[in-house]
mmCIF file of all heavy atoms in Angstrom:
data_model
loop_
_atom_site.group_PDB
_atom_site.id
_atom_site.type_symbol
_atom_site.label_atom_id
_atom_site.label_comp_id
_atom_site.label_asym_id
_atom_site.label_seq_id
_atom_site.Cartn_x
_atom_site.Cartn_y
_atom_site.Cartn_z
ATOM 1 N N SER W 980 -6.101 2.714 9.476
ATOM 2 C CA SER W 980 -7.122 1.925 8.804
ATOM 3 C C SER W 980 -7.466 2.573 7.473
ATOM 4 O O SER W 980 -7.388 3.790 7.326
ATOM 5 C CB SER W 980 -8.387 1.818 9.660
ATOM 6 O OG SER W 980 -8.124 1.207 10.900
ATOM 7 N N CYS W 981 -7.861 1.752 6.518
ATOM 8 C CA CYS W 981 -8.300 2.232 5.219
ATOM 9 C C CYS W 981 -9.528 1.437 4.814
ATOM 10 O O CYS W 981 -9.437 0.234 4.551
ATOM 11 C CB CYS W 981 -7.191 2.082 4.173
ATOM 12 S SG CYS W 981 -7.681 2.591 2.505
ATOM 13 N N ALA W 982 -10.666 2.108 4.773
ATOM 14 C CA ALA W 982 -11.923 1.477 4.398
ATOM 15 C C ALA W 982 -12.175 1.676 2.912
ATOM 16 O O ALA W 982 -12.132 2.804 2.417
ATOM 17 C CB ALA W 982 -13.070 2.054 5.217
ATOM 18 N N ALA W 983 -12.447 0.589 2.212
ATOM 19 C CA ALA W 983 -12.700 0.625 0.781
ATOM 20 C C ALA W 983 -14.186 0.461 0.506
ATOM 21 O O ALA W 983 -14.868 -0.343 1.148
ATOM 22 C CB ALA W 983 -11.912 -0.469 0.065
ATOM 23 N N SER W 984 -14.678 1.204 -0.463
ATOM 24 C CA SER W 984 -16.069 1.098 -0.869
ATOM 25 C C SER W 984 -16.169 1.281 -2.376
ATOM 26 O O SER W 984 -15.197 1.624 -3.038
ATOM 27 C CB SER W 984 -16.936 2.128 -0.142
ATOM 28 O OG SER W 984 -16.525 3.447 -0.451
ATOM 29 N N GLY W 985 -17.360 1.064 -2.904
ATOM 30 C CA GLY W 985 -17.552 1.157 -4.334
ATOM 31 C C GLY W 985 -17.372 -0.193 -5.005
ATOM 32 O O GLY W 985 -17.535 -1.240 -4.378
ATOM 33 N N ARG W 986 -17.000 -0.169 -6.267
ATOM 34 C CA ARG W 986 -16.854 -1.388 -7.039
ATOM 35 C C ARG W 986 -15.461 -1.963 -6.824
ATOM 36 O O ARG W 986 -14.493 -1.530 -7.454
ATOM 37 C CB ARG W 986 -17.105 -1.111 -8.521
ATOM 38 C CG ARG W 986 -17.293 -2.357 -9.354
ATOM 39 C CD ARG W 986 -17.830 -2.015 -10.714
ATOM 40 N NE ARG W 986 -18.124 -3.203 -11.505
ATOM 41 C CZ ARG W 986 -18.707 -3.194 -12.679
ATOM 42 N NH1 ARG W 986 -19.076 -2.034 -13.218
ATOM 43 N NH2 ARG W 986 -18.932 -4.325 -13.323
ATOM 44 N N THR W 987 -15.388 -2.952 -5.933
ATOM 45 C CA THR W 987 -14.098 -3.516 -5.535
ATOM 46 C C THR W 987 -13.858 -4.917 -6.063
ATOM 47 O O THR W 987 -12.889 -5.563 -5.664
ATOM 48 C CB THR W 987 -13.976 -3.532 -4.008
ATOM 49 O OG1 THR W 987 -15.016 -4.351 -3.452
ATOM 50 C CG2 THR W 987 -14.090 -2.126 -3.438
ATOM 51 N N LEU W 988 -14.696 -5.409 -6.958
ATOM 52 C CA LEU W 988 -14.564 -6.779 -7.439
ATOM 53 C C LEU W 988 -13.272 -7.010 -8.204
ATOM 54 O O LEU W 988 -12.804 -8.144 -8.299
ATOM 55 C CB LEU W 988 -15.760 -7.149 -8.317
ATOM 56 C CG LEU W 988 -17.123 -7.200 -7.621
ATOM 57 C CD1 LEU W 988 -18.211 -7.553 -8.628
ATOM 58 C CD2 LEU W 988 -17.109 -8.201 -6.481
ATOM 59 N N ARG W 989 -12.695 -5.977 -8.743
ATOM 60 C CA ARG W 989 -11.465 -6.111 -9.524
ATOM 61 C C ARG W 989 -10.220 -5.814 -8.705
ATOM 62 O O ARG W 989 -9.124 -5.725 -9.251
ATOM 63 C CB ARG W 989 -11.525 -5.182 -10.734
ATOM 64 C CG ARG W 989 -12.638 -5.543 -11.703
ATOM 65 C CD ARG W 989 -12.847 -4.469 -12.743
ATOM 66 N NE ARG W 989 -11.682 -4.262 -13.583
ATOM 67 C CZ ARG W 989 -11.598 -3.327 -14.530
ATOM 68 N NH1 ARG W 989 -12.626 -2.519 -14.746
ATOM 69 N NH2 ARG W 989 -10.496 -3.209 -15.248
ATOM 70 N N SER W 990 -10.373 -5.666 -7.397
ATOM 71 C CA SER W 990 -9.238 -5.381 -6.535
ATOM 72 C C SER W 990 -8.236 -6.523 -6.566
ATOM 73 O O SER W 990 -8.603 -7.690 -6.489
ATOM 74 C CB SER W 990 -9.707 -5.150 -5.092
ATOM 75 O OG SER W 990 -10.542 -4.018 -5.004
ATOM 76 N N SER W 991 -6.976 -6.188 -6.660
ATOM 77 C CA SER W 991 -5.920 -7.179 -6.631
ATOM 78 C C SER W 991 -4.884 -6.922 -5.547
ATOM 79 O O SER W 991 -4.262 -7.859 -5.075
ATOM 80 C CB SER W 991 -5.231 -7.267 -7.994
ATOM 81 O OG SER W 991 -4.649 -6.029 -8.358
ATOM 82 N N ALA W 992 -4.685 -5.666 -5.160
ATOM 83 C CA ALA W 992 -3.703 -5.345 -4.135
ATOM 84 C C ALA W 992 -4.000 -3.980 -3.530
ATOM 85 O O ALA W 992 -4.607 -3.118 -4.165
ATOM 86 C CB ALA W 992 -2.292 -5.363 -4.700
ATOM 87 N N MET W 993 -3.547 -3.792 -2.290
ATOM 88 C CA MET W 993 -3.652 -2.521 -1.605
ATOM 89 C C MET W 993 -2.282 -2.144 -1.076
ATOM 90 O O MET W 993 -1.493 -3.019 -0.719
ATOM 91 C CB MET W 993 -4.646 -2.587 -0.449
ATOM 92 C CG MET W 993 -6.068 -2.930 -0.857
ATOM 93 S SD MET W 993 -6.897 -1.544 -1.681
ATOM 94 C CE MET W 993 -7.044 -0.395 -0.304
ATOM 95 N N GLY W 994 -2.012 -0.857 -1.017
ATOM 96 C CA GLY W 994 -0.726 -0.397 -0.541
ATOM 97 C C GLY W 994 -0.839 0.834 0.327
ATOM 98 O O GLY W 994 -1.872 1.507 0.358
ATOM 99 N N TRP W 995 0.231 1.101 1.060
ATOM 100 C CA TRP W 995 0.366 2.306 1.861
ATOM 101 C C TRP W 995 1.591 3.081 1.394
ATOM 102 O O TRP W 995 2.658 2.494 1.163
ATOM 103 C CB TRP W 995 0.519 1.989 3.348
ATOM 104 C CG TRP W 995 -0.740 1.527 4.022
ATOM 105 C CD1 TRP W 995 -1.146 0.250 4.224
ATOM 106 C CD2 TRP W 995 -1.744 2.371 4.605
ATOM 107 N NE1 TRP W 995 -2.344 0.223 4.893
ATOM 108 C CE2 TRP W 995 -2.738 1.518 5.141
ATOM 109 C CE3 TRP W 995 -1.900 3.754 4.723
ATOM 110 C CZ2 TRP W 995 -3.877 2.006 5.789
ATOM 111 C CZ3 TRP W 995 -3.035 4.238 5.361
ATOM 112 C CH2 TRP W 995 -4.004 3.370 5.880
ATOM 113 N N PHE W 996 1.432 4.396 1.264
ATOM 114 C CA PHE W 996 2.519 5.306 0.948
ATOM 115 C C PHE W 996 2.503 6.448 1.952
ATOM 116 O O PHE W 996 1.503 6.694 2.613
ATOM 117 C CB PHE W 996 2.377 5.873 -0.472
ATOM 118 C CG PHE W 996 2.656 4.877 -1.556
ATOM 119 C CD1 PHE W 996 1.725 3.908 -1.894
ATOM 120 C CD2 PHE W 996 3.854 4.911 -2.258
ATOM 121 C CE1 PHE W 996 1.979 2.995 -2.898
ATOM 122 C CE2 PHE W 996 4.120 4.008 -3.266
ATOM 123 C CZ PHE W 996 3.179 3.043 -3.585
ATOM 124 N N ARG W 997 3.607 7.166 2.044
ATOM 125 C CA ARG W 997 3.660 8.341 2.898
ATOM 126 C C ARG W 997 4.405 9.458 2.182
ATOM 127 O O ARG W 997 5.274 9.216 1.348
ATOM 128 C CB ARG W 997 4.326 8.032 4.244
ATOM 129 C CG ARG W 997 5.776 7.588 4.151
ATOM 130 C CD ARG W 997 6.261 7.083 5.500
ATOM 131 N NE ARG W 997 7.631 6.596 5.448
ATOM 132 C CZ ARG W 997 8.217 5.909 6.409
ATOM 133 N NH1 ARG W 997 7.539 5.627 7.531
ATOM 134 N NH2 ARG W 997 9.475 5.506 6.285
ATOM 135 N N GLN W 998 4.057 10.686 2.536
ATOM 136 C CA GLN W 998 4.687 11.837 1.918
ATOM 137 C C GLN W 998 4.746 12.994 2.905
ATOM 138 O O GLN W 998 3.718 13.429 3.422
ATOM 139 C CB GLN W 998 3.934 12.266 0.657
ATOM 140 C CG GLN W 998 4.636 13.358 -0.123
ATOM 141 C CD GLN W 998 4.034 13.554 -1.503
ATOM 142 O OE1 GLN W 998 2.853 13.290 -1.723
ATOM 143 N NE2 GLN W 998 4.849 14.017 -2.436
ATOM 144 N N ALA W 999 5.944 13.469 3.160
ATOM 145 C CA ALA W 999 6.159 14.641 3.987
ATOM 146 C C ALA W 999 6.226 15.876 3.097
ATOM 147 O O ALA W 999 6.558 15.771 1.905
ATOM 148 C CB ALA W 999 7.439 14.494 4.795
ATOM 149 N N PRO W 1000 5.926 17.064 3.628
ATOM 150 C CA PRO W 1000 5.993 18.282 2.815
ATOM 151 C C PRO W 1000 7.358 18.453 2.164
ATOM 152 O O PRO W 1000 8.390 18.371 2.825
ATOM 153 C CB PRO W 1000 5.711 19.393 3.823
ATOM 154 C CG PRO W 1000 4.888 18.730 4.879
ATOM 155 C CD PRO W 1000 5.449 17.344 4.994
ATOM 156 N N GLY W 1001 7.357 18.695 0.859
ATOM 157 C CA GLY W 1001 8.591 18.878 0.130
ATOM 158 C C GLY W 1001 9.361 17.616 -0.160
ATOM 159 O O GLY W 1001 10.450 17.687 -0.737
ATOM 160 N N LYS W 1002 8.830 16.464 0.213
ATOM 161 C CA LYS W 1002 9.507 15.197 0.005
ATOM 162 C C LYS W 1002 8.767 14.366 -1.031
ATOM 163 O O LYS W 1002 7.591 14.596 -1.315
ATOM 164 C CB LYS W 1002 9.616 14.411 1.316
ATOM 165 C CG LYS W 1002 10.290 15.165 2.444
ATOM 166 C CD LYS W 1002 11.744 15.430 2.151
ATOM 167 C CE LYS W 1002 12.418 16.097 3.335
ATOM 168 N NZ LYS W 1002 13.848 16.367 3.082
ATOM 169 N N GLU W 1003 9.467 13.392 -1.577
ATOM 170 C CA GLU W 1003 8.861 12.494 -2.545
ATOM 171 C C GLU W 1003 7.980 11.462 -1.851
ATOM 172 O O GLU W 1003 8.192 11.108 -0.691
ATOM 173 C CB GLU W 1003 9.936 11.788 -3.368
ATOM 174 C CG GLU W 1003 10.757 12.715 -4.243
ATOM 175 C CD GLU W 1003 11.759 11.966 -5.099
ATOM 176 O OE1 GLU W 1003 11.894 10.736 -4.927
ATOM 177 O OE2 GLU W 1003 12.398 12.608 -5.939
ATOM 178 N N ARG W 1004 7.007 10.990 -2.571
ATOM 179 C CA ARG W 1004 6.142 9.928 -2.077
ATOM 180 C C ARG W 1004 6.955 8.648 -1.880
ATOM 181 O O ARG W 1004 7.738 8.256 -2.752
ATOM 182 C CB ARG W 1004 5.003 9.702 -3.066
ATOM 183 C CG ARG W 1004 3.994 8.636 -2.673
ATOM 184 C CD ARG W 1004 2.856 8.640 -3.677
ATOM 185 N NE ARG W 1004 3.355 8.585 -5.037
ATOM 186 C CZ ARG W 1004 2.638 8.843 -6.127
ATOM 187 N NH1 ARG W 1004 1.357 9.180 -6.005
ATOM 188 N NH2 ARG W 1004 3.180 8.759 -7.337
ATOM 189 N N GLU W 1005 6.754 7.979 -0.761
ATOM 190 C CA GLU W 1005 7.558 6.833 -0.380
ATOM 191 C C GLU W 1005 6.683 5.611 -0.142
ATOM 192 O O GLU W 1005 5.680 5.677 0.578
ATOM 193 C CB GLU W 1005 8.360 7.136 0.889
ATOM 194 C CG GLU W 1005 9.214 5.984 1.393
ATOM 195 C CD GLU W 1005 9.880 6.290 2.714
ATOM 196 O OE1 GLU W 1005 9.478 7.273 3.376
ATOM 197 O OE2 GLU W 1005 10.822 5.555 3.090
ATOM 198 N N PHE W 1006 7.068 4.501 -0.724
ATOM 199 C CA PHE W 1006 6.368 3.241 -0.518
ATOM 200 C C PHE W 1006 6.573 2.742 0.906
ATOM 201 O O PHE W 1006 7.691 2.781 1.432
ATOM 202 C CB PHE W 1006 6.870 2.203 -1.520
ATOM 203 C CG PHE W 1006 6.404 0.802 -1.241
ATOM 204 C CD1 PHE W 1006 5.079 0.442 -1.421
ATOM 205 C CD2 PHE W 1006 7.297 -0.157 -0.806
ATOM 206 C CE1 PHE W 1006 4.645 -0.846 -1.167
ATOM 207 C CE2 PHE W 1006 6.882 -1.451 -0.557
ATOM 208 C CZ PHE W 1006 5.548 -1.793 -0.738
ATOM 209 N N VAL W 1007 5.509 2.251 1.524
ATOM 210 C CA VAL W 1007 5.552 1.790 2.905
ATOM 211 C C VAL W 1007 5.223 0.305 3.026
ATOM 212 O O VAL W 1007 5.903 -0.436 3.742
ATOM 213 C CB VAL W 1007 4.606 2.619 3.796
ATOM 214 C CG1 VAL W 1007 4.585 2.058 5.218
ATOM 215 C CG2 VAL W 1007 5.026 4.084 3.804
ATOM 216 N N ALA W 1008 4.159 -0.137 2.367
ATOM 217 C CA ALA W 1008 3.739 -1.533 2.482
ATOM 218 C C ALA W 1008 2.701 -1.842 1.425
ATOM 219 O O ALA W 1008 2.027 -0.943 0.916
ATOM 220 C CB ALA W 1008 3.164 -1.821 3.874
ATOM 221 N N ALA W 1009 2.542 -3.116 1.094
ATOM 222 C CA ALA W 1009 1.515 -3.557 0.160
ATOM 223 C C ALA W 1009 1.076 -4.962 0.524
ATOM 224 O O ALA W 1009 1.830 -5.728 1.131
ATOM 225 C CB ALA W 1009 2.023 -3.513 -1.283
ATOM 226 N N ILE W 1010 -0.150 -5.302 0.135
ATOM 227 C CA ILE W 1010 -0.696 -6.621 0.395
ATOM 228 C C ILE W 1010 -1.623 -7.005 -0.742
ATOM 229 O O ILE W 1010 -2.407 -6.182 -1.223
ATOM 230 C CB ILE W 1010 -1.436 -6.668 1.755
ATOM 231 C CG1 ILE W 1010 -1.888 -8.093 2.082
ATOM 232 C CG2 ILE W 1010 -2.615 -5.698 1.772
ATOM 233 C CD1 ILE W 1010 -2.404 -8.249 3.506
ATOM 234 N N SER W 1011 -1.556 -8.260 -1.183
ATOM 235 C CA SER W 1011 -2.509 -8.753 -2.159
ATOM 236 C C SER W 1011 -3.827 -9.019 -1.458
ATOM 237 O O SER W 1011 -3.853 -9.565 -0.350
ATOM 238 C CB SER W 1011 -1.983 -10.016 -2.844
ATOM 239 O OG SER W 1011 -1.794 -11.070 -1.905
ATOM 240 N N TRP W 1012 -4.927 -8.646 -2.088
ATOM 241 C CA TRP W 1012 -6.222 -8.726 -1.423
ATOM 242 C C TRP W 1012 -6.637 -10.155 -1.134
ATOM 243 O O TRP W 1012 -7.128 -10.462 -0.056
ATOM 244 C CB TRP W 1012 -7.290 -8.018 -2.251
ATOM 245 C CG TRP W 1012 -8.567 -7.867 -1.511
ATOM 246 C CD1 TRP W 1012 -9.712 -8.576 -1.680
ATOM 247 C CD2 TRP W 1012 -8.827 -6.938 -0.459
ATOM 248 N NE1 TRP W 1012 -10.675 -8.158 -0.811
ATOM 249 C CE2 TRP W 1012 -10.165 -7.146 -0.044
ATOM 250 C CE3 TRP W 1012 -8.058 -5.947 0.173
ATOM 251 C CZ2 TRP W 1012 -10.752 -6.402 0.971
ATOM 252 C CZ3 TRP W 1012 -8.641 -5.210 1.196
ATOM 253 C CH2 TRP W 1012 -9.964 -5.440 1.577
ATOM 254 N N GLY W 1013 -6.459 -11.049 -2.103
ATOM 255 C CA GLY W 1013 -6.894 -12.427 -1.935
ATOM 256 C C GLY W 1013 -5.892 -13.315 -1.225
ATOM 257 O O GLY W 1013 -6.233 -14.016 -0.270
ATOM 258 N N GLY W 1014 -4.652 -13.303 -1.685
ATOM 259 C CA GLY W 1014 -3.658 -14.209 -1.148
ATOM 260 C C GLY W 1014 -2.965 -13.748 0.121
ATOM 261 O O GLY W 1014 -2.464 -14.576 0.883
ATOM 262 N N GLY W 1015 -2.925 -12.446 0.340
ATOM 263 C CA GLY W 1015 -2.324 -11.930 1.547
ATOM 264 C C GLY W 1015 -0.815 -11.797 1.520
ATOM 265 O O GLY W 1015 -0.205 -11.556 2.568
ATOM 266 N N SER W 1016 -0.182 -11.940 0.366
ATOM 267 C CA SER W 1016 1.253 -11.711 0.272
ATOM 268 C C SER W 1016 1.556 -10.259 0.601
ATOM 269 O O SER W 1016 0.851 -9.355 0.164
ATOM 270 C CB SER W 1016 1.759 -12.048 -1.126
ATOM 271 O OG SER W 1016 1.526 -13.412 -1.433
ATOM 272 N N THR W 1017 2.614 -10.042 1.367
ATOM 273 C CA THR W 1017 2.962 -8.700 1.815
ATOM 274 C C THR W 1017 4.326 -8.287 1.302
ATOM 275 O O THR W 1017 5.192 -9.122 1.041
ATOM 276 C CB THR W 1017 2.938 -8.600 3.342
ATOM 277 O OG1 THR W 1017 3.840 -9.566 3.894
ATOM 278 C CG2 THR W 1017 1.541 -8.881 3.876
ATOM 279 N N TYR W 1018 4.519 -6.957 1.205
ATOM 280 C CA TYR W 1018 5.750 -6.389 0.683
ATOM 281 C C TYR W 1018 6.089 -5.155 1.506
ATOM 282 O O TYR W 1018 5.220 -4.345 1.822
ATOM 283 C CB TYR W 1018 5.593 -6.007 -0.790
ATOM 284 C CG TYR W 1018 5.015 -7.121 -1.640
ATOM 285 C CD1 TYR W 1018 3.649 -7.275 -1.773
ATOM 286 C CD2 TYR W 1018 5.850 -8.017 -2.310
ATOM 287 C CE1 TYR W 1018 3.115 -8.298 -2.542
ATOM 288 C CE2 TYR W 1018 5.328 -9.038 -3.075
ATOM 289 C CZ TYR W 1018 3.960 -9.180 -3.190
ATOM 290 O OH TYR W 1018 3.440 -10.193 -3.951
ATOM 291 N N TYR W 1019 7.368 -5.004 1.842
ATOM 292 C CA TYR W 1019 7.825 -3.872 2.636
ATOM 293 C C TYR W 1019 9.192 -3.414 2.149
ATOM 294 O O TYR W 1019 10.009 -4.232 1.721
ATOM 295 C CB TYR W 1019 7.970 -4.233 4.113
ATOM 296 C CG TYR W 1019 6.748 -4.807 4.773
ATOM 297 C CD1 TYR W 1019 6.567 -6.190 4.852
ATOM 298 C CD2 TYR W 1019 5.789 -3.981 5.346
ATOM 299 C CE1 TYR W 1019 5.457 -6.725 5.472
ATOM 300 C CE2 TYR W 1019 4.676 -4.511 5.970
ATOM 301 C CZ TYR W 1019 4.515 -5.883 6.033
ATOM 302 O OH TYR W 1019 3.413 -6.410 6.664
ATOM 303 N N PRO W 1020 9.467 -2.130 2.248
ATOM 304 C CA PRO W 1020 10.847 -1.684 2.046
ATOM 305 C C PRO W 1020 11.678 -1.993 3.287
ATOM 306 O O PRO W 1020 11.132 -2.201 4.383
ATOM 307 C CB PRO W 1020 10.694 -0.169 1.836
ATOM 308 C CG PRO W 1020 9.496 0.177 2.667
ATOM 309 C CD PRO W 1020 8.561 -1.004 2.557
ATOM 310 N N ASP W 1021 12.979 -2.006 3.126
ATOM 311 C CA ASP W 1021 13.849 -2.310 4.250
ATOM 312 C C ASP W 1021 13.690 -1.314 5.398
ATOM 313 O O ASP W 1021 13.908 -1.662 6.561
ATOM 314 C CB ASP W 1021 15.308 -2.333 3.798
ATOM 315 C CG ASP W 1021 15.623 -3.523 2.912
ATOM 316 O OD1 ASP W 1021 14.860 -4.507 2.935
ATOM 317 O OD2 ASP W 1021 16.644 -3.475 2.203
ATOM 318 N N SER W 1022 13.288 -0.094 5.099
ATOM 319 C CA SER W 1022 13.201 0.941 6.111
ATOM 320 C C SER W 1022 12.150 0.655 7.184
ATOM 321 O O SER W 1022 12.257 1.162 8.301
ATOM 322 C CB SER W 1022 12.917 2.297 5.465
ATOM 323 O OG SER W 1022 11.705 2.263 4.730
ATOM 324 N N VAL W 1023 11.130 -0.139 6.862
ATOM 325 C CA VAL W 1023 10.070 -0.419 7.822
ATOM 326 C C VAL W 1023 9.939 -1.897 8.149
ATOM 327 O O VAL W 1023 9.176 -2.250 9.064
ATOM 328 C CB VAL W 1023 8.708 0.113 7.338
ATOM 329 C CG1 VAL W 1023 8.812 1.577 6.950
ATOM 330 C CG2 VAL W 1023 8.177 -0.717 6.174
ATOM 331 N N LYS W 1024 10.649 -2.742 7.456
ATOM 332 C CA LYS W 1024 10.533 -4.184 7.667
ATOM 333 C C LYS W 1024 10.861 -4.543 9.112
ATOM 334 O O LYS W 1024 11.869 -4.105 9.660
ATOM 335 C CB LYS W 1024 11.443 -4.927 6.701
ATOM 336 C CG LYS W 1024 11.209 -6.434 6.660
ATOM 337 C CD LYS W 1024 12.052 -7.082 5.557
ATOM 338 C CE LYS W 1024 11.661 -6.547 4.193
ATOM 339 N NZ LYS W 1024 12.426 -7.218 3.094
#
C-alpha cells in the first residue's frame, strides 16, 4: 500500500519501482490517478 498526503490536486499518475542492493532501480507498475490506465513491464505482467 502507498498512502498519499499533502497537496495532491496536481496528481496525474502513480508508480511502483523496486531496487535490490547493488542493482538498478526497476519499473514495476504505474496507474493514472483519474482514468485508471495501467502499465506493466513484461517481467510482472
Side-chain angles (χ1 to χ4, degrees):
S980 300
C981 177
S984 62
R986 194 167 185 174
T987 61
L988 295 179
R989 296 169 62 183
S990 297
S991 60
M993 299 286 292
W995 287 95
F996 288 77
R997 62 190 178 192
Q998 187 168 28
K1002 304 294 184 180
E1003 295 183 354
R1004 181 174 50 194
E1005 179 185 14
F1006 169 70
V1007 176
I1010 186 170
S1011 62
W1012 190 255
S1016 299
T1017 58
Y1018 310 87
Y1019 305 94
D1021 290 341
S1022 59
V1023 308
K1024 191 174 298 183

